[in-house]
Amino acid sequence: MKALVVKDLHKSFGNVRAVVGFTLEMEEGEFVTLLGPSGCGKTTVLRTVAGFEKADKGEIYIFGKLSNDIPPEKRDVGMVFQNYALFPNMTVAQNIAFSMMIRKEPQDKIKKRVGELLELVQLSGLENRYPHQLSGGQMQRVALARALAKNPKILLLDEPLSALDAKVRQQLRGEIRKLQMKLGITTLFVTHDQEEALTMSDRIVVMKDGVIQQIGSPRQIYDDPINPFVAHFVGTSSFLEGEMLDGKIFIWKDERFEVRKSKVKNGKALMVLRPTHLKMVKDEENVPDGSNVMKGRVSLVTFLGSVVRVHVMIKEEEILVEMPSEDFWGFKEGDEVIVYFSPDFPLVFPKEQNIQ
Amino acid sequence: MREKILKIIFWLAVLYVIVPIMMPIIYSFSEAWTGLIPKGFTLDWYKIIFSNPNYQPSLILSLFVASSATLLNIVLTVPAAYAVNRLRGKLAIFLEDTFKILPLIFPPLIVGLGLLQAFTSPPLAISGTTTAVIIAHALLGLPFMFRNVYASLKTIDERTLSEAASSLGANLWQRMRYVIIPNIIPGILSGSLLVFAISFGEFEVTSMVAGFGSQTLPLILFQEMRNNFRIASAITAILVYVSLTAFMIIVYIGSKVQKGYKV
Ligand SMILES: Nc1ncnc2c1ncn2[C@@H]1O[C@H](COP(=O)(O)OP(=O)(O)O)[C@@H](O)[C@H]1O
Ligand SMILES: [Mg+2]
């Protein structure tokens, strides 16, 4: 049985169409991320699944049960909010135990479970603190433990990390994913941070203006974006505007590139180049046969830790090239360089598909 | 240097508040006060007040009216603030402004005249009764209750907290009982204190809507000021004691309600 099925969901606020024809099926234990720019309808989908918003049209099935008319307090879902939403008048332990107190579970059972959950989110010893005595990261851990306390069938997280510092965010990212895999809990996660989506998810749903653009594994989304918007939003890319000829040759300014993956046969087209697909050398003789070649001048070198990103000006356009730091051997700003790429890599889309 | 000046200003401000309250209290305990320092200690003025059949009922009446006006505001204004906080868009802003400002831009005199008119015409001919005084006082206190409760609903982000609680299985009653009320209780209590204090010391509107049977303490005080200034002082002192007691009770209740539940 599917853990969650959202079928043709529509939701408008006044004349704002927040979600349009959203359909998603989730397997049990899966971690799915809704990814897209702010205002694209991610939160609305999540809130409809949680029961806080009523669908205008479409159905929500939670483990096979049609849930459209089930109020939030009766749905088997746990929710974590961006601003934590901890109860300020309650201690950490009282916050976590809230759902069990509501269900009138016996005191000793509640105590034991709170202890387990505190250990799970690594907060043992803080049970008597109040939320205002905790750091952001600690508060979000409490919120997570609180949502897990009722053993929900589905866990919903709405940008839970975006209010935290970069360091804490990275750490919690890994922790949430490990916890999720350990518990095997079906999780629907919302973020506008592509890195978060790529690192945490089994599958990603990329959205724009309330409409799903693409659903796929992080690898699929990155390597094989379905349109320029997805290519632009997920990962870094350079875009070249040109023209396709016979579905094989891409003409850009006075260059001709051979390409193998084009969605256009003839006419105006947009080529997507990932920085990692491009290679850079000083002399032409080092370029493998059959590569597409461009000449340019280095305008900026940025060191990103494990990789070095080089901005190269080619025919008045800036193109990004990335290479592992250990393969980088001293290009400087102003150097004349040769950039090349295999015909297998670039994707070519029809021009009318915009990156915005 | 700057700190010193600030300190002096602070203590002057404290004196400015304390002295007018302390004067009648000191005066009410003294036998005579002609020079700079009052002379003699006596409880005679209080004895007179508590033995005179004119004063005692009015003290009880004032307490009853203030409590009722406060209760009325808790029952009506708190849910109203909750509802307005739940609304979205232009209507919400309009209602918010109405509740907060409207009763303030009319001076008590106008409110009194308006109420007098309303209370003398047939459907609501209650002018001169205690009920009329209670309603008038509740109305005067309403904006203060509304402001305080509304502000605390906004600060705690009531909407999100309610959603968090309902996703944890709490129904409306449980959300109110365990989450919303404990977190807005400071607002409700400070609102209550203001309503109570306003009602307990109210003179202008009361003098218009009250009848012979509904003479509150401030009305008696006003009469007494012309007769016996010493007794008037003692009445004023009693007004202060009662307000302070109300304040302490309210702080105590607040500390009890705000606590979470037992784990
Ligand atoms: N309660 C609401 N009232 C009016 N408009 C809303 C409401 N909630 C969301 N919207 C609008 O719906 C669109 C989608 O919002 P949301 O789902 O919050 O996007 P996201 O979470 O992707 O940033 C936005 O244009 C937003 O302004
Ligand atoms: Mg959102």
Side-chain angles (χ1 to χ4, degrees), chain A residues 36-44 46-47 82 158-159 190-192:
Chain A
S38 172
C40 72
K42 309 178 295 287
T43 297
T44 306
L46 210 68
R47 290 173 56 79
Q82 181 174 354
D158 190 358
E159 312 224 11
V190 160
T191 184
H192 63 265

Side-chain angles (χ1 to χ4, degrees), chain B residues 232-245:
Chain B
S233 286
I235 293 176
T236 311
I238 289 173
L239 285 171
V240 174
Y241 305 147
V242 170
S243 293
L244 280 178
T245 311

Side-chain angles (χ1 to χ4, degrees), chain A residues 47 52-53 72-73 77-79 81 83 85-91 93-95 97-99 101-102 104 107 110-111 114 146-147 150, chain B residues 88 156-157 159-172 174-175 177-183 257-263:
Chain A
R47 290 173 56 79
F52 301 134
E53 303 285 356
E73 59 264 32
V77 301
M79 177 113 177
F81 299 81
N83 60 358
L86 295 180
F87 306 131
N89 59 318
M90 296 182 198
T91 62
Q94 288 169 336
N95 264 284
F98 188 78
S99 60
M101 182 271 289
I102 293 289
K104 301 198 168 61
Q107 281 291 324
I110 292 182
K111 269 220 167 72
V114 168
R146 183 179 69 173
K150 70 170 206 178
Chain B
R88 282 186 212 253
I156 62 161
D157 190 1
R159 217 180 256 268
T160 313
L161 283 194
S162 283
E163 286 180 353
S166 57
S167 82
L168 293 167
N171 59 29
L172 181 65
Q174 290 162 329
R175 297 199 287 271
R177 161 81 179 74
Y178 294 109
V179 179
I180 306 311
I181 293 175
N183 282 305
V257 180
Q258 212 172 359
K259 288 238 177 68
Y261 55 94
K262 200 173 145 286
V263 208

Side-chain angles (χ1 to χ4, degrees), chain A residues 251-269:
Chain A
I251 303 169
W252 178 59
K253 308 209 168 164
D254 51 5
E255 303 275 0
R256 292 165 76 87
F257 301 133
E258 194 185 331
V259 292
R260 306 232 163 87
K261 289 190 276 188
S262 176
K263 296 194 196 298
V264 193
K265 197 133 180 78
N266 284 294
K268 291 208 182 309

Side-chain angles (χ1 to χ4, degrees), chain A residues 272-307:
Chain A
V272 178
L273 288 168
R274 295 290 195 197
T276 44
H277 292 161
L278 297 169
K279 299 248 177 329
M280 208 167 88
V281 288
K282 279 233 161 83
D283 308 305
E284 193 136 7
E285 58 237 44
N286 293 332
V287 175
D289 290 344
S291 302
N292 295 309
V293 183
M294 304 177 274
K295 286 201 172 78
R297 184 189 293 271
V298 175
S299 60
L300 185 66
V301 179
T302 50
F303 178 65
L304 303 177
S306 53
V307 297

Side-chain angles (χ1 to χ4, degrees), chain A residues 79-135:
Chain A
M79 177 113 177
V80 175
F81 299 81
Q82 181 174 354
N83 60 358
Y84 324 123
L86 295 180
F87 306 131
N89 59 318
M90 296 182 198
T91 62
V92 167
Q94 288 169 336
N95 264 284
I96 296 176
F98 188 78
S99 60
M100 296 179 265
M101 182 271 289
I102 293 289
R103 282 200 292 218
K104 301 198 168 61
E105 288 183 17
Q107 281 291 324
D108 48 338
K109 195 177 158 201
I110 292 182
K111 269 220 167 72
K112 188 158 158 280
R113 179 104 174 102
V114 168
E116 286 167 10
L117 285 161
L118 279 166
E119 205 167 305
L120 195 68
V121 297
Q122 300 169 31
L123 285 180
S124 302
L126 299 187
E127 45 267 62
N128 293 323
R129 294 256 188 107
Y130 280 89
H132 68 89
Q133 298 169 313
L134 302 177
S135 71

Side-chain angles (χ1 to χ4, degrees), chain A residues 148-180:
Chain A
L148 290 171
K150 70 170 206 178
N151 277 318
K153 288 195 173 133
I154 297 178
L155 183 62
L156 306 172
L157 303 115
D158 190 358
E159 312 224 11
L161 306 177
S162 55
L164 303 171
D165 304 336
K167 192 81 199 161
V168 183
R169 192 158 64 215
Q170 287 223 348
Q171 190 189 346
L172 218 50
R173 202 192 271 173
E175 275 177 36
I176 290 179
R177 174 59 163 158
K178 274 187 237 160
L179 197 82
Q180 182 270 334

